Amino acid sequence: MGGDVKDLGLAPKGKARIEWAAQWMPVLKLIRKRFISERPLEGVKVSACLHVTTETANLAITLRDGGADVVVCASNPLSTQDDVAASLIKDFNIPVFAIKGEDKDTYYSHIVAALDHQPQITMDDGADLVTMVLTKRQELIPGIIGGTEETTTGVIRLRSMAKEGVLKFPMVAVNDADTKHLFDNRYGTGQSTIDGILRSTNLLIAGSRIVVCGYGWCGRGVAMRARGLGAEVIVTEVNPTRGLEALMDGYRVMPMSEAAKIGDVFITVSGNKSVLGGEHFEVMKDGAIVCNSGHFNVEIDIPALEKMAHSKRRVREFVDEYTLRGGRKIYLLGEGRLINLAAAEGHPAAVMDMSFANQALSAEYLAKNAKNLEPNVFSVPEEIDRDVARLKLEAMGVAIDKLSREQEEYLASWSEGT
Ligand SMILES: NC(=O)c1ccc[n+]([C@@H]2O[C@H](COP(=O)([O-])OP(=O)(O)OC[C@H]3O[C@@H](n4cnc5c(N)ncnc54)[C@H](O)[C@@H]3O)[C@@H](O)[C@H]2O)c1
């Protein structure tokens, strides 16, 4: 069994945790049950470049049980759970190429290894796999029927590939399903980002001033949870509608140049680069903490921080102390990588249940329909999105009302109401 992981001896711990996550993933469990009997992915080669977590393990197992020949590699050098990676190989015969803390070269060599599998379906979280196919492994293009993308940043990259005409196969934007971003990005990132900050710092959130940079789906969740723990939350934005929404949601809104002077903790979730830069570090309070939960480690301008600092030391796991000229200290968490995955365990399984149900069903959709799709970015079909919500509600034991015939007719008619 191929793969490259830290230590296969960690497998028993990983297996127990994969099973623990499975019990919070009832929708994926139902899909797996159907996949076992229907085998909709029989013989389909899938390369999945995802955060190697307990939830991803359950997705990989579901795909395998649907007949797919799956390999997994990391979508971030710091998000791999080494015990899970070991267990996938040892207990589930799924090759994994991922080691927590791997350097850049190893990270990319693992993506290459996943592509050597010659996938027919790609699964990405950030579009690194597809980017590598389109730039360096073009010989694989004819064999690929399509792919899926998990996150906002990946979808943005794919849309720009489609616009420039470089995308060569259809991609399903799983992130854009309502049952993905409304829940995963908001409640998943919201809770787990705070979890990552707490695990790395043991900070008291109550009474601290937390600056959330970007009020998108993730930012809304982070702001909401920080406020719930008693923080005074400040939001920075570039989009006037989102800024207004944050204001009316009850947060202070101001430019980063102002927020930088007063914040205690800064959390970037903008999907953009250098939202925290040298001019901000210049005015931050002594002891300010900066971290990121956006996809790439470019939201905080770490090279600028490195340049401004005259010394740096690791004071706790995932906490680097930068001492600037004059003695002021700034703390960077998780090397500027997604803090919820670097220092905590990523999103809770119950929310990944919906994201990965969309992934599994989108893979099935591609296996059946990709030949009719042109090279472009597609939404998850609405029936799949609705079905995932319905199944999740059912699994949670919650019923909702149904439209009566009369109501259906009323909503469908333009002449009613007059
Ligand atoms: N940590 C995780 O597990 C996780 C999970 C899901 C998504 N993500 C990533 O988080 C990032 C945000 O995702 P999202 O779904 O919230 O995206 P989004 O597009 O809904 O929101 C991003 C927001 O940031 C704002 N923004 C852009 N540049 C800014 C700047 N310079 N200053 C302030 N605000 C700025 C935008 O106007 C937008 O409102 C993406 O990179 C995404 O891939 C991370």
Side-chain angles (χ1 to χ4, degrees):
M1 177 64 41
D4 183 22
V5 298
K6 186 173 179 202
D7 176 6
L8 286 175
L10 298 170
K13 185 178 168 209
K15 184 162 186 273
R17 293 203 315 113
I18 291 167
E19 288 166 358
W20 167 261
Q23 55 175 315
W24 309 106
M25 305 182 85
V27 179
L28 197 63
K29 189 175 170 188
L30 281 174
I31 294 169
R32 184 177 170 203
K33 210 168 142 198
R34 180 170 67 74
F35 273 19
I36 288 171
S37 65
E38 295 179 9
R39 306 277 288 179
L41 299 171
E42 193 65 63
V44 177
K45 290 183 168 197
V46 177
S47 295
C49 179
L50 300 170
H51 301 299
V52 182
T53 63
T54 54
E55 297 80 18
T56 297
N58 280 291
L59 170 64
I61 295 162
T62 303
L63 298 170
R64 182 205 63 180
D65 287 350
D69 179 1
V70 189
V71 304
V72 178
C73 68
S75 60
N76 184 290
L78 215 49
S79 64
T80 299
Q81 297 172 5
D82 291 316
D83 54 344
V84 170
S87 173
L88 274 174
I89 294 183
K90 210 154 174 218
D91 303 308
F92 299 97
N93 286 333
I94 296 175
V96 179
F97 301 87
I99 299 171
K100 183 162 183 143
E102 60 196 9
D103 61 24
K104 218 171 162 178
D105 290 346
T106 313
Y107 175 72
Y108 284 108
S109 76
H110 282 160
I111 292 183
V112 168
L115 286 177
D116 287 343
H117 185 53
Q118 304 197 313
Q120 291 159 289
I121 292 182
T122 62
M123 273 188 184
D124 253 313
D125 186 327
D128 279 352
L129 209 56
V130 168
T131 303
M132 173 96 66
V133 170
L134 296 177
T135 54
K136 300 201 172 91
R137 298 294 301 271
Q138 288 149 341
E139 83 280 4
L140 296 173
I141 293 171
I144 298 179
I145 62 168
T148 63
E149 172 53 56
E150 172 75 7
T151 197
T152 316
T153 286
V155 173
I156 291 170
R157 290 177 89 186
L158 292 174
R159 289 228 159 87
S160 81
M161 290 174 194
K163 201 169 156 204
E164 287 177 25
V166 294
L167 190 61
K168 299 295 179 209
F169 39 83
M171 293 294 300
V172 178
V174 169
N175 181 73
D176 292 0
D178 284 348
T179 47
K180 201 282 184 180
H181 65 270
L182 285 175
F183 302 94
D184 168 313
N185 301 31
R186 184 161 42 168
Y187 303 110
T189 309
Q191 176 175 313
S192 61
T193 296
I194 302 294
D195 187 16
I197 295 170
L198 292 179
R199 289 198 207 191
S200 52
T201 62
N202 196 26
L203 204 73
L204 179 68
I205 302 286
S208 38
R209 201 174 269 157
I210 294 193
V211 181
V212 178
C213 321
Y215 200 64
W217 290 107
C218 295
R220 291 176 180 111
V222 172
M224 178 178 19
R225 293 298 173 244
R227 175 159 67 187
L229 285 170
E232 180 194 342
V233 178
I234 296 170
V235 169
T236 67
E237 250 301 341
V238 290
N239 175 328
T241 316
R242 297 260 167 109
L244 185 62
E245 183 187 352
L247 190 70
M248 294 210 183
D249 282 346
Y251 303 109
R252 292 176 72 186
V253 176
M254 61 184 77
M256 184 54 87
S257 54
E258 295 300 314
K261 295 179 200 154
I262 56 177
D264 298 313
V265 182
F266 296 80
I267 307 167
T268 55
V269 263
S270 71
N272 204 346
K273 67 183 290 201
S274 301
V275 292
L276 280 179
E279 71 275 31
H280 305 124
F281 305 135
E282 204 67 69
V283 296
M284 279 181 190
K285 296 199 290 193
D286 183 26
I289 293 172
V290 296
C291 66
N292 168 51
S293 217
H295 188 77
F296 285 117
N297 63 338
V298 296
E299 302 213 13
I300 301 170
D301 187 350
I302 300 171
L305 186 57
E306 298 264 350
K307 219 164 142 196
M308 289 167 73
H310 69 72
S311 70
K312 171 186 170 185
R313 64 179 182 136
R314 180 145 295 185
V315 289
R316 289 170 64 103
E317 207 182 356
F318 306 116
V319 184
D320 289 327
E321 178 188 80
Y322 288 83
T323 304
L324 311 189
R325 281 172 289 277
R328 211 160 36 88
K329 295 180 184 356
I330 291 179
Y331 296 96
L332 173 68
L333 307 187
E335 298 169 22
R337 299 200 183 272
L338 316 125
I339 190 61
N340 61 331
L341 281 141
E345 292 173 64
H347 296 170
V351 86
M352 293 314 292
D353 188 23
M354 291 186 279
S355 309
F356 285 167
N358 276 294
Q359 283 282 8
L361 296 177
S362 295
E364 180 183 30
Y365 172 77
L366 281 172
K368 285 190 186 142
N369 301 295
K371 54 184 171 306
N372 305 320
L373 303 173
E374 74 266 25
N376 209 338
V377 183
F378 294 89
S379 305
V380 172
E382 204 181 318
E383 316 83 74
I384 293 182
D385 206 354
R386 283 272 173 97
D387 238 20
V388 171
R390 186 179 55 74
L391 292 171
K392 188 70 176 174
L393 272 178
E394 263 172 40
M396 295 172 87
V398 176
I400 59 166
D401 288 326
K402 275 201 175 85
L403 288 173
S404 66
R405 256 265 289 292
E406 199 190 347
Q407 287 171 331
E408 269 181 29
E409 282 167 14
Y410 174 77
L411 291 174
S413 158
W414 59 267
S415 61
E416 295 272 3
T418 52

